[in-house]
Amino acid sequence: MGPLLPLTFLAVVASAQLHSRNAPDAFSQPPSTAVDYVDPFIGNGGGSPDGSGGMIPSTAPPFAMTRWVAQTRHNYVSVTPYNYTATTIYGFQGTHQPAIWMGESGQAVVAPGAGTVRPKFEDRGMRFSHADEIATASYYSVLLDAIEGGRIHAEQSATSRVGHLRFTFDRTQTPYVLVEATRAQVVGSNDPTNVTYPLGALTIDPAAREVSGANPERQDFIIDPHHGATIWSGYFVARFDTDFASFGTAQNGTIREGETDGEGALLSGFVRFAEGTKTVNVRVGVSFISVEQARANLDKEIPDGTTLEETAYKTRKEWAEKLDRVQIEGASREQAEVFYTGIFHTLQYPYEQDEDGKYYSGYDNQVHEGVSYTGYSIWDTFRAEWAWQILLAPERVSGMVQSMLQDYQEGGWLPMWKNIVETNIMVGTHADSLVAEAVVKGFKDFDLDTAWEAVHKDATVPPNNDWTTSYYDREQNVGYEVRAGLSSVYATSGWVANDIHSESASRTLDYAYDDYAVSALATALNKTSEAAFFRARAFFSPFTIFNNATGFMEARNASGAWAGGYQGWTEGDMWAYTFDVVHDVPGLIARRGGEKGFVEFLDEHFDGGHNDHTNEPSHHIPYLYSLADAASKSQERIREVAKDNYNNSVNGLSGNEDCGQMSAWYVFSALGFYPVDPVSAEYVIGTPFFDKVTIDLPASSQPLVITSTGAPSKPYIKSVTVNGRPLAAPILTHADIASGGEINFEMSSTPQSWASGTLATGEKRYGHVEL
Ligand SMILES: *[C@@H]1O[C@H](CO)[C@@H](O)[C@H](O)[C@H]1NC(C)=O
Ligand SMILES: *[C@@H]1O[C@H](CO)[C@@H](O)[C@H](O)[C@H]1NC(C)=O
Ligand SMILES: *[C@@H]1O[C@H](CO)[C@@H](O)[C@H](O)[C@H]1NC(C)=O
Ligand SMILES: *[C@@H]1O[C@H](CO)[C@@H](O)[C@H](O)[C@H]1NC(C)=O
Ligand SMILES: *[C@@H]1O[C@H](CO)[C@@H](O)[C@H](O)[C@H]1NC(C)=O
Ligand SMILES: *[C@@H]1O[C@H](CO)[C@@H](O)[C@H](O)[C@H]1NC(C)=O
Ligand SMILES: *[C@@H]1O[C@H](CO)[C@@H](O)[C@H](O)[C@H]1NC(C)=O
């Protein structure tokens, strides 16, 4: 997903100044070179106008429910909690904001201080410098200049549902910690003064050394078509390891000494520690179910007596379990950092919404048994991130699919962009692709009948008021957006009418791909006639908006009149989207003058500066040369895209991470292949970046070994073998790699004819799997 803010802002590019990733020895355990390459600051800029739109430097294990981050500002849609250009930290936030364009939900906040208690956000900021920060996958620390003098050393780690913070004070300070229950909630994306006041609760229990409470903030309620999560809160229990010397509550800036309970808006609690207290540990359990569950999460994940070193060890081990599975040889330091930080980014979302075998559902306000996930940026992540998660985190896949099916059962639809509840963000019902890809790749331990019912509904049932509602981006007070325009007039004519629906041309192409995914699932389930029906629609629809006169995709009115090449797109333009028929590249090639004409069109696209890798519709485009008999040109373009859009600086991702899709592109590309058409279970070969990659696939007894000696300086491919079998076409199947094996690339410094000549036989050597 891309910016909502005007692109005319000039990026305030944060300097690529070096920051320390060298954690103290205790926090570098267990040993893992792969985890040491992770730099959580990479891509924090994320291509955003103010240099702060990307991934936040947060600490938590893979797919963690709550990620902890230093808070440099009040976050809301378009503003994440950590801004690299900031110089002030206001506290530490257990955040559930999965991406910059989504809202925060039920955050927990603790802020250390010394001297006068300062409950107001704007009064409590403490200066810091990046030189005094350490950030790793499992540990973060910073030195803060306390407002009344001296310094506070703040350290944090976290498990999935519990933050662990340790504050070290000067002996001269009167230390305290503030626990914030509620604040002003910013409800839009660009006006921080447009707020509502969530009403929370807070209890201080000095005997238990606990501050607990509830925070019902959920910024995306204004775009939630379900009007769900009406009895919802982020519950928290902050348990300290040190007796309270005194305590109180604060409401809207007014301190109430000695009060143990509070309710309402702008509410915090504070606890002071005895003069001379040096170190205070606080563990903050978080729950979407109840305070009791938050406490149970705390006791389960970080029991009393656990040191910060032990918590960080556990979390680092969880990252090592995944990252150490991928060993690379021949990468530069910078490439290794981009690569492993990329993997770190691809394994953060969706995030766990279940606790102790049960989960709160915002769709029906009930607690159910089972596993649940939220934070699905599916419009972005169906492209490559899902395929990558299937390879490296297969143990999560069935639970993630099951979770989407539960959303369907409890809310009526599969998710599009679920952030606790649906938000209607972006277009298309690409959960169809996620479900189908999982089934096609062999995951079947969820209810296949429900899976079919859910994707079939996406493909056949239009949203409410489909003829009269535009479903424009972030439209409020509308129903589930799903395939807006299905009835008007996609299902009858093949395109979504631009005079009725927003983003109509993008929708047309996205729905066509989704139909293809539905047909793939139907095929896997032996539903032959349904497979044929949706397959026919998938191949017919895209070209109903191909304007023969211009050679570009173009939106159309309901009448069939062309609407103009600049209309009807989301996060892309007619250039990117004309290449967006990933399931029928041969059909596209035929319409663009055959292979020669198509290659010229690709050249025009790249040479004319039309490729925009900062947004997802461009991600597969450099791979398309390979499908037009010009593999060496794919090899050149992929290297260029990688070089121009990825580096190890704060602004090292040219676009928003989008819950991992930006990095999934890099990770697959570095391996030498990419899932252009994910549901086909095929990968298109690009150009491996390193000499050798060995992946210890969790689902396979033997590793996948990719050897490409010389690749760092030789981008071109002379030959490829898979398990000794020469590959004539630039296509790998999932079956080729899913059980490990050996891929050998013979690299060259000059363009080669491998998969790059003219077709010798006229036979199609590649293409989508016949379904
Ligand atoms: C990020 O911090 C910089 C420097 O303090 C500031 O100019 C910018 O406005 C901040 N961005 C936001 C959205 O707060
Ligand atoms: C506040 O933001 C909401 C959500 O965007 C919008 O509906 C409302 O009109 C805004 N209110 C004001 C006073 O701007
Ligand atoms: C907070 O206090 C200010 C100043 O007294 C007042 O104007 C404001 O309405 C209060 N806000 C809330 C949400 O109570
Ligand atoms: C498409 O529909 C819009 C809205 O009704 C109208 O303004 C426009 O003229 C139409 N375009 C064509 C080419 O008919
Ligand atoms: C589909 O048919 C094949 C071949 O008859 C069979 O092996 C498979 O179990 C069937 N799959 C389902 C989901 O019914
Ligand atoms: C474009 O040309 C093709 C082949 O000549 C034809 O089948 C198709 O209907 C035309 N498309 C449109 C939208 O006119
Ligand atoms: C790093 O990448 C960003 C985003 O593409 C770019 O703006 C910046 O110039 C690059 N920095 C370096 C040092 O290459």
Side-chain angles (χ1 to χ4, degrees), residues 364-378:
D364 62 6
N365 289 307
Q366 304 289 318
V367 175
H368 299 264
E369 300 280 308
V371 167
S372 182
Y373 289 88
T374 190
Y376 277 102
S377 187
I378 302 177

Side-chain angles (χ1 to χ4, degrees), residues 1-76:
M1 291 162 61
L4 293 174
L5 299 174
L7 283 168
T8 47
F9 274 80
L10 268 186
V12 178
V13 178
S15 65
Q17 125 192 35
L18 282 180
H19 31 263
S20 173
R21 287 180 307 277
N22 298 328
D25 287 348
F27 295 104
S28 301
Q29 299 300 320
S32 166
T33 314
V35 179
D36 287 337
Y37 280 125
V38 170
D39 177 354
F41 289 112
I42 292 178
N44 180 234
S48 132
D50 66 358
S52 52
M55 290 295 253
I56 52 172
S58 63
T59 313
F63 307 107
M65 176 178 183
T66 302
R67 307 196 64 84
W68 285 82
V69 65
Q71 182 185 30
T72 72
R73 53 188 184 165
H74 189 124
N75 63 315
Y76 54 95

Side-chain angles (χ1 to χ4, degrees), residues 120 197 252 265-266:
K120 285 194 166 173
Y197 294 96
N252 196 3
L266 304 174

Side-chain angles (χ1 to χ4, degrees), residues 57 89 120 135 185 190 254 265 310 315 324 339 354 393 404 421 448 461 464 526 571 618 621 623 705 718 757 768:
I89 286 174
K120 285 194 166 173
Q185 156 171 268
N190 50 25
T254 305
E310 287 164 339
T315 296
D324 286 341
F339 183 80
D354 53 278
M404 292 191 279
V421 196
L448 292 169
V461 179
N464 293 338
N526 295 336
E571 300 200 1
S618 282
I621 298 176
Y623 284 86
V705 182
K718 203 166 177 183
H768 48 81

Side-chain angles (χ1 to χ4, degrees), residues 452-471:
W452 171 252
E453 194 182 295
V455 304
H456 186 260
K457 182 176 179 185
D458 277 346
T460 54
V461 179
N464 293 338
N465 306 318
D466 196 20
W467 287 93
T468 49
T469 305
S470 157
Y471 288 98

Side-chain angles (χ1 to χ4, degrees), residues 6 383 423 532:
R383 298 161 203 270
T423 62

Side-chain angles (χ1 to χ4, degrees), residues 178-250:
L178 186 82
V179 180
E180 182 184 85
T182 51
R183 62 177 185 179
Q185 156 171 268
V186 180
V187 297
S189 57
N190 50 25
D191 178 7
T193 66
N194 183 352
V195 298
T196 63
Y197 294 96
L199 305 177
L202 188 115
T203 298
I204 301 173
D205 180 345
R209 297 175 179 154
E210 281 184 1
V211 180
S212 60
N215 174 14
E217 176 163 337
R218 188 171 69 86
Q219 297 171 348
D220 287 336
F221 77 92
I222 54 165
I223 49 171
D224 163 8
H226 191 82
H227 305 298
T230 47
I231 45 172
W232 183 82
S233 275
Y235 299 95
F236 57 86
V237 171
R239 189 184 297 160
F240 294 83
D241 69 343
T242 307
D243 284 334
F244 305 161
S246 60
F247 54 84
T249 63

